[in-house]
């Protein structure tokens, strides 16, 4: 038996940074591999190139993955060069994983739904909230549409309570609400914090 679901479905894993999302994705994918299922894992490429890479957790566990510039490229790798017309001759993976799902474009929702409808187990791991504590990109819609949602917590570095937020620090100071979500080249760092200790500068 593959899973408690009959056929395809969406599983979403969310939480702040350091909550173990990648670890959990790697754990689920690893079990599928042991069961000799076909698995494909994707993550967003920082530049516009495809390349073979891996998903790694902060503890150092890894699983092979493909870096893709967007969901169009992930779709092409999953379905073969053609589109659904070729799907008959192209064997779909049993399991498709997406790490850092919050950085994918809007095409991730229809792709995930299409895969689930075709019988694929789709596992999506990502940040539910950005550094301001606002819903992040495509995650709210994925959370609504998923059969299964796991919200993980980290440990607040200030008080030790369960951390649900990602604190962004720029030069050691809380980032401003108006800072862009993705900052290139900034001296930034991130910490896991609870609601009480999550701070924004202005
Ligand atoms: P995520 O993908 O959610 O960022 P990872 O799976 O990469 O998380 O890493 C989780 C690991 O991060 C934990 O198992 C732990 O070893 C480490 N870690 C570092 N800082 C913290 C923290 N403040 N709370 C919990 N775990 C932390």
């Amino acid at each position: 038996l593959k899973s408690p679901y009959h056929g395809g479905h969406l599983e979403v894993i969310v939480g702040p940074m350091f909550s173990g999302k990648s670890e959990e994705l790697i754990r689920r994918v690893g079990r599928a591999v042991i069961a000799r299922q076909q698995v494909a894992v994707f993550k967003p490429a920082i530049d516009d190139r495809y390349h073979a890479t891996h998903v790694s957790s902060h503890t150092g566990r890894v699983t092979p993955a493909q870096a893709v510039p967007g969901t169009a490229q992930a779709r092409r790798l999953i379905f073969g060069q053609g589109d659904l017309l070729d799907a008959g001759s192209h064997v779909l993976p049993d399991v498709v994983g997406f790490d850092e799902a919050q950085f994918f474009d809007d095409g991730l929702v229809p792709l995930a739904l299409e895969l689930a409808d075709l019988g694929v187990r789709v596992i999506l791991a990502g940040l539910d909230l950005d550094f301001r504590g606002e819903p992040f990109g495509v995650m709210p819609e994925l959370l609504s549409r998923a059969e299964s949602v796991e919200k993980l917590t980290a440990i607040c570095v200030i008080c030790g309570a369960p951390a649900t937020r990602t604190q962004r620090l720029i030069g050691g100071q809380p980032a401003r609400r108006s800072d862009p979500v993705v900052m290139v080249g900034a001296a930034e760092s991130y910490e896991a914090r609870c609601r009480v200790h999550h701070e924004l500068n202005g």
Side-chain angles (χ1 to χ4, degrees):
L1 199 70
K2 279 182 166 182
S3 77
Y5 301 100
H6 297 277
H9 64 275
L10 308 188
E11 299 173 24
V12 173
I13 304 164
V14 291
M17 280 179 72
F18 308 107
S19 62
K21 300 181 297 298
S22 299
E23 244 166 51
E24 180 60 17
L25 175 68
I26 293 165
R27 189 185 74 84
R28 294 187 194 185
V29 160
R31 287 161 61 97
V33 169
I34 289 167
R36 298 208 184 81
Q37 296 181 348
Q38 293 301 313
V39 174
V41 178
F42 298 95
K43 62 185 243 180
I46 306 157
D47 53 31
D48 58 1
R49 283 168 299 186
Y50 296 71
H51 54 99
T53 178
H54 51 267
V55 166
S56 54
S57 78
H58 289 105
T59 52
R61 289 197 65 193
V62 297
T63 195
Q66 291 272 335
V68 287
T71 50
Q73 292 81 3
R75 167 185 288 278
R76 239 171 270 142
L77 289 169
I78 295 165
F79 288 108
Q81 285 311 308
D83 228 80
L84 266 181
L85 291 175
D86 286 347
S89 57
H90 186 85
V91 180
L92 286 174
D94 302 293
V95 180
V96 173
F98 294 91
D99 198 25
E100 305 281 8
Q102 77 280 354
F103 287 136
F104 278 94
D105 53 85
D106 291 351
L108 187 56
V109 175
L111 176 59
L113 293 173
E114 183 179 354
L115 289 170
D117 287 342
L118 290 168
V120 177
R121 175 183 176 198
V122 185
I123 309 175
L124 305 120
L127 293 165
D128 44 356
L129 302 174
D130 65 21
F131 76 94
R132 298 167 301 188
E134 299 294 334
F136 208 144
V138 294
M139 300 312 291
E141 188 161 358
L142 291 173
L143 285 162
S144 304
R145 293 184 180 274
E147 272 82 356
S148 144
V149 170
E150 184 149 18
K151 275 215 177 205
L152 300 173
T153 54
I155 307 285
C156 175
V157 297
I158 306 293
C159 72
T164 54
R165 313 283 159 132
T166 303
Q167 177 69 48
R168 177 197 248 169
L169 300 167
I170 312 275
Q173 294 303 310
R176 278 187 291 266
R177 185 180 295 277
S178 57
D179 286 341
V181 172
V182 179
M183 272 176 106
V184 180
E188 57 178 350
S189 58
Y190 293 92
E191 289 178 355
R193 302 255 186 121
C194 67
R195 181 189 286 272
V196 170
H197 292 114
H198 179 252
E199 298 172 85
L200 282 170
N201 211 340

